[in-house]
Amino acid sequence: MHEHDLPRKKPRALTYSEMMNGGRTRIDEKTHERELEMHRREITLERHVNHLEQSLKIAE
């Protein structure tokens, strides 16, 4: 029997965690820290944008 005659296994679907972690079940500490820092920076930037929007509304 040849290899191409065998039924092929379907790849399993990734779990939510694997999808969010680039296909891995867990992320390492360094990656986790980078993601936390990115989240903190995102929050800070959103606050700055909100502040600027409010400033523009007041100036109108």
Side-chain angles (χ1 to χ4, degrees), residues 16-45:
Y16 179 78
S17 295
E18 289 169 331
M19 284 189 287
M20 299 309 289
N21 297 335
R24 298 178 309 275
T25 54
R26 300 184 66 81
I27 58 174
D28 59 17
E29 188 65 29
K30 195 180 234 183
T31 303
H32 179 66
E33 287 299 321
R34 274 196 316 260
E35 296 217 355
L36 287 176
E37 179 59 27
M38 280 189 349
H39 184 66
R40 284 190 285 268
R41 291 173 68 188
E42 178 184 15
I43 290 170
T44 301
L45 289 171

